[in-house]
């Protein structure tokens, strides 16, 4: 046995020299070539410092080998016509002239003699075929070369490739870095194939490609995790400027970042602090800012809790939008629940600050629903996501109407249509500033009933007033006597005493 297959069983190299008890001895291939060349010696060129064999000279043939003195094989497909069956030779059927001047190897292809080898081209071949092809490529000068500088070159290519893909993977987008990686893999593969095809130079592209892959894959994973963390950080940070649901919507639908809008029914909650501007003039600026920030932070948190979208903050006023950008089938009920929770917090906040010796302001809230145009407005350099339309202005007018009505939370009948079970008491038909028609408005007491009971006495008195009954004034006067702090009841008493006969109220001031 003068050659050993690789670990996968495939024969890729044929040794030309062996070390037997410290003496170099030739293989079958080398000795056959020496006899054919008529040479009487082998000339071995070795590298210094135990670098191994560089090449071997047999007669006029110079053979490049690996460090162990093995020849890299360049296999071709076996050709049946090159084989002579032994029985034909033994029976004298082979003309002697056909063998004259040729190298002839004697071998077997019988499976039972175990001299069948796996070829890199696929399938099995007789061992003698390996020797024959080794001799053929030496004699024809078609042998493969793998000089000593090749491993160093492969290492340098691997190092430079790893540096390149590592830097690009950390800085470029995944698509671009992947294209670079694939491009480098293709270039290395093309270079190895070109060297093999035209120069018979044997280069190994596997090691550089594997090294680059081992750098590229974890680097891309680290960049992905870093980008993901940064995106979450940006999303969390940006959500402090706009609504979290708007951020989530834009992340999932980047095409929404275009100028334009669409018609959609939405609900709006407007809040404002009554007289806060004047109150600030008498407060320490640092205290005023701290108190206002605490108030706004909680009010906005309540809005986000109900999946509302922050439309804008103007001073101490807050505008919240529901059912945009993501449609919400129950946006009216969400808006009312949000407004009632804001009202409860605002009242508690006033009490807490009062116990600290800080006088704060009451909060007025208006809630209305209707069809608006929702989208991005502004220009190419600035997007402003908001809603435009009369319902937006109406909600703002309802917030301001509380000042004249003596209430703190006005909700329109348009919104209440989507709030089954809501507990309210009617205020009347309001004609707001800038409008020609009347709008039915209620004061909200609870979003879904709960422990809050309807004000039946007020409802009875209001029904008399709405129907134009002469008994309405007396009914409201009885309520005013038992509820001296109910400003809405006092409003209706004054209206009826002034000659009003129904529930129509004109509010000409904003």
């Amino acid at each position: 046995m003068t050659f050993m297959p690789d670990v996968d069983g495939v024969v890729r190299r044929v040794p030309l020299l062996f070390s037997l008890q410290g003496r170099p001895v030739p293989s079958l291939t080398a000795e056959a070539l020496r006899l054919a060349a008529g040479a009487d010696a082998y000339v071995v060129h070795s590298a210094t410092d135990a670098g191994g064999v560089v090449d071997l000279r047999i007669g006029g043939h110079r053979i490049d080998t690996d460090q162990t003195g093995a020849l890299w094989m360049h296999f071709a497909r076996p050709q049946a016509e090159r084989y002579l069956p032994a029985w034909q030779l033994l029976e004298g059927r082979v003309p002697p002239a056909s063998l004259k001047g040729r190298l002839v190897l004697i071998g077997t292809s019988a499976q039972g003699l175990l001299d069948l080898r796996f070829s890199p081209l696929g399938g099995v071949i007789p061992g003698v075929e390996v020797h024959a092809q080794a001799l053929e490529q030496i004699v024809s000068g078609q042998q493969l070369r793998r000089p000593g500088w090749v491993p160093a070159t492969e290492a340098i290519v691997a190092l430079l490739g790893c540096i390149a893909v590592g830097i690009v993977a950390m800085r470029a987008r995944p698509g671009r870095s992947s294209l670079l990686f694939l491009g480098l893999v293709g270039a290395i593969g093309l270079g190895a194939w070109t060297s093999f095809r035209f120069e018979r130079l044997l280069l190994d592209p596997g090691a550089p490609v594997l090294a680059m892959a081992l750098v590229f894959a974890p680097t891309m994973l680290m960049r992905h995790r870093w980008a993901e963390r940064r995106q979450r950080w940006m999303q969390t940070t940006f959500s402090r400027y706009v609504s979290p649901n708007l951020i989530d919507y834009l992340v999932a639908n980047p095409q929404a970042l275009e100028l334009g809008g669409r018609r959609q029914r939405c609900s709006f909650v407007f809040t404002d602090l009554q007289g806060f501007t004047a109150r600030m003039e008498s407060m320490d600026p640092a205290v005023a800012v701290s108190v206002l920030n605490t108030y706004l932070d909680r009010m906005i948190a309540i809005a986000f809790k109900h999946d509302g979208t922050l439309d804008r903050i103007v001073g101490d006023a807050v505008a919240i939008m529901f059912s945009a950008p993501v449609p919400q089938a129950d946006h009216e009920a969400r808006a009312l629940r949000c407004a009632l929770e804001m009202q409860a917090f605002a009242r508690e906040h006033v009490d807490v600050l009062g116990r600290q010796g800080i006088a704060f302001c009451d909060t007025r809230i208006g809630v209305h629903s209707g069809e608006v145009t929702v989208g991005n407005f502004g220009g190419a350099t600035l997007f402003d996501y908001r809603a435009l339309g009369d319902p937006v202005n109406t909600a703002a007018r309802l917030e301001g109407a509380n000042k004249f009505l003596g209430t703190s939370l006005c909700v329109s009948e348009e919104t209440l249509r989507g709030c089954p079970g809501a507990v309210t008491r009617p205020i009347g038909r309001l004609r707001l500033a800038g409008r020609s028609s009347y709008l039915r408005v209620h004061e909200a007491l609870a979003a879904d009933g709960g422990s809050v009971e309807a004000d039946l006495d007020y409802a009875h008195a209001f029904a008399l007033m709405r129907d134009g009954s002469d008994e309405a004034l007396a009914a409201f006067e009885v309520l005013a006597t038992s509820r001296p702090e109910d400003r809405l009841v006092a409003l209706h008493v004054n209206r009826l005493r002034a000659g009003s006969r129904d529930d129509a109220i004109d509010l000409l001031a904003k």
Side-chain angles (χ1 to χ4, degrees):
M1 295 178 61
T2 54
F3 51 78
M4 292 293 292
D6 291 339
V7 292
D8 57 359
V10 177
V11 176
R12 296 183 176 87
R13 291 178 292 179
V14 172
L16 298 180
L17 294 175
F18 290 96
S19 177
L20 179 62
Q21 296 179 352
R23 293 177 55 248
V25 295
S27 68
L28 172 62
T29 301
E31 187 65 5
L33 182 62
R34 185 188 69 80
L35 292 174
D40 57 0
Y42 296 93
V43 178
V44 180
H45 178 204
S46 61
T48 58
D49 299 328
V53 178
V54 175
D55 60 43
L56 177 66
R57 293 184 183 271
I58 305 176
H61 302 287
R62 178 183 175 276
I63 309 166
D64 290 313
T65 67
D66 64 5
Q67 294 179 343
T68 65
L71 171 71
W72 287 95
M73 289 296 297
H74 188 184
F75 281 98
R77 296 290 180 185
Q79 300 177 22
E81 61 271 15
R82 298 170 59 180
Y83 283 79
L84 294 176
W87 66 268
Q88 291 183 3
L89 183 65
L90 294 176
E91 291 184 359
R93 297 188 182 187
V94 178
S98 64
L99 300 180
K100 186 177 181 180
R102 296 180 180 271
L103 291 171
V104 178
L105 299 178
I106 300 174
T108 178
S109 60
Q111 293 186 2
L113 296 179
L114 303 178
D115 193 25
L116 297 179
R117 308 296 176 180
F118 289 104
S119 168
L121 302 180
V124 294
I125 57 176
V128 69
E129 175 76 27
V130 179
H131 292 291
Q133 292 206 25
L135 286 169
E136 183 179 40
Q137 72 181 55
I138 295 173
V139 172
S140 65
Q142 299 297 316
Q143 59 179 305
L144 295 178
R145 298 181 300 110
R146 185 172 170 81
W149 53 263
V150 169
T153 302
E154 292 171 350
I156 293 174
V157 171
L159 177 62
L160 295 178
C162 291
I163 294 174
V165 298
I167 293 176
V168 174
M170 286 299 296
R171 296 186 177 183
R173 294 180 179 178
R176 293 182 179 178
S177 56
S178 298
L179 286 177
L180 174 69
F181 175 73
L182 294 177
L184 287 177
V185 170
I188 293 174
L190 180 61
W193 179 84
T194 303
S195 300
F196 176 81
R197 176 68 177 80
F198 298 103
E199 298 295 332
R200 298 186 301 279
L201 186 62
L202 194 59
L203 303 178
D204 181 14
V209 170
L210 179 60
M212 290 191 301
L214 292 177
V215 171
F216 180 76
T219 304
M220 281 293 295
L221 179 61
M222 288 190 299
R223 175 176 168 80
H224 173 72
R225 296 187 63 181
W226 174 81
E228 191 177 49
R229 287 196 299 267
R230 180 174 177 81
Q231 185 179 18
R232 288 198 299 266
W233 177 81
M234 287 291 293
Q235 187 171 342
T236 302
T237 303
F238 196 47
S239 63
R240 297 175 182 269
Y241 294 87
V242 295
S243 300
N245 59 344
L246 178 58
I247 298 298
D248 295 338
Y249 177 76
L250 293 178
V251 170
N253 303 274
Q255 68 276 7
L257 283 171
E258 298 177 358
L259 290 175
R262 66 179 187 274
R263 298 292 294 177
Q264 185 171 325
R265 181 176 172 82
C266 299
S267 294
F268 301 89
V269 176
F270 272 75
T271 73
D272 194 15
L273 288 173
Q274 182 175 353
F276 185 73
T277 302
R279 183 65 55 82
M280 283 190 64
E281 296 178 356
S282 60
M283 296 175 63
D284 180 85
V287 174
V289 170
S290 175
V291 168
L292 180 60
N293 285 339
T294 302
Y295 167 82
L296 291 176
D297 180 70
R298 181 57 185 157
M299 293 289 278
I300 295 171
I302 293 172
F304 291 168
K305 171 185 173 182
H306 294 275
D307 293 328
T309 300
L310 179 62
D311 186 66
R312 57 184 173 273
I313 299 176
V314 182
D316 56 321
V318 178
I320 306 298
M321 174 170 53
F322 289 86
S323 197
V326 181
Q328 297 164 330
D330 59 341
H331 60 90
E332 296 95 344
R334 287 175 182 266
L336 182 58
R337 288 195 298 268
C338 175
L340 286 167
E341 188 172 345
M342 285 178 164
Q343 182 188 55
F345 159 72
R347 289 173 175 173
E348 180 184 359
H349 192 57
V350 169
D351 293 339
V352 171
L353 292 178
R355 290 192 294 270
Q356 298 175 6
I358 302 175
F360 201 59
C361 307
D362 294 329
T363 299
R364 301 191 303 253
I365 305 174
V367 185
H368 183 54
S369 303
E371 190 176 76
V372 294
T373 299
V374 180
N376 293 305
F377 301 93
T381 57
L382 178 65
F383 279 172
D384 187 10
Y385 187 87
R386 64 174 53 219
L388 298 179
D390 183 67
V392 182
N393 299 326
T394 300
R397 296 286 188 270
L398 288 178
E399 175 273 312
N402 287 289
K403 176 173 57 176
F404 303 100
L405 300 173
T407 56
S408 61
L409 201 167
C410 285
V411 54
S412 69
E413 200 167 75
E414 285 289 324
T415 298
L416 291 177
R417 289 182 185 139
C419 304
V423 179
T424 65
R425 63 175 183 174
I427 294 175
R429 293 180 295 121
L430 302 187
R431 186 168 69 176
L432 302 172
R435 295 177 59 97
S436 58
S437 59
Y438 285 90
L439 178 69
R440 291 195 176 277
V441 179
H442 294 245
E443 182 182 18
L445 304 178
D448 53 2
S451 60
V452 178
E453 297 181 357
D455 191 343
L456 298 180
D457 293 336
Y458 177 89
H460 173 69
F462 183 86
L464 294 174
M465 178 181 65
R466 181 188 58 207
D467 296 338
S469 172
D470 294 335
E471 300 177 2
L473 177 58
F476 271 108
E477 285 179 338
V478 172
L479 288 176
T481 301
S482 60
R483 308 176 186 179
E485 296 181 356
D486 194 329
R487 296 177 58 191
L488 180 59
V489 170
L491 171 71
H492 288 312
V493 169
N494 292 332
R495 289 179 54 255
L496 293 172
R497 287 175 178 174
S500 296
R501 302 286 297 174
D502 55 23
D503 60 344
I505 304 173
D506 290 329
L507 297 177
L508 301 181
K510 295 183 180 180

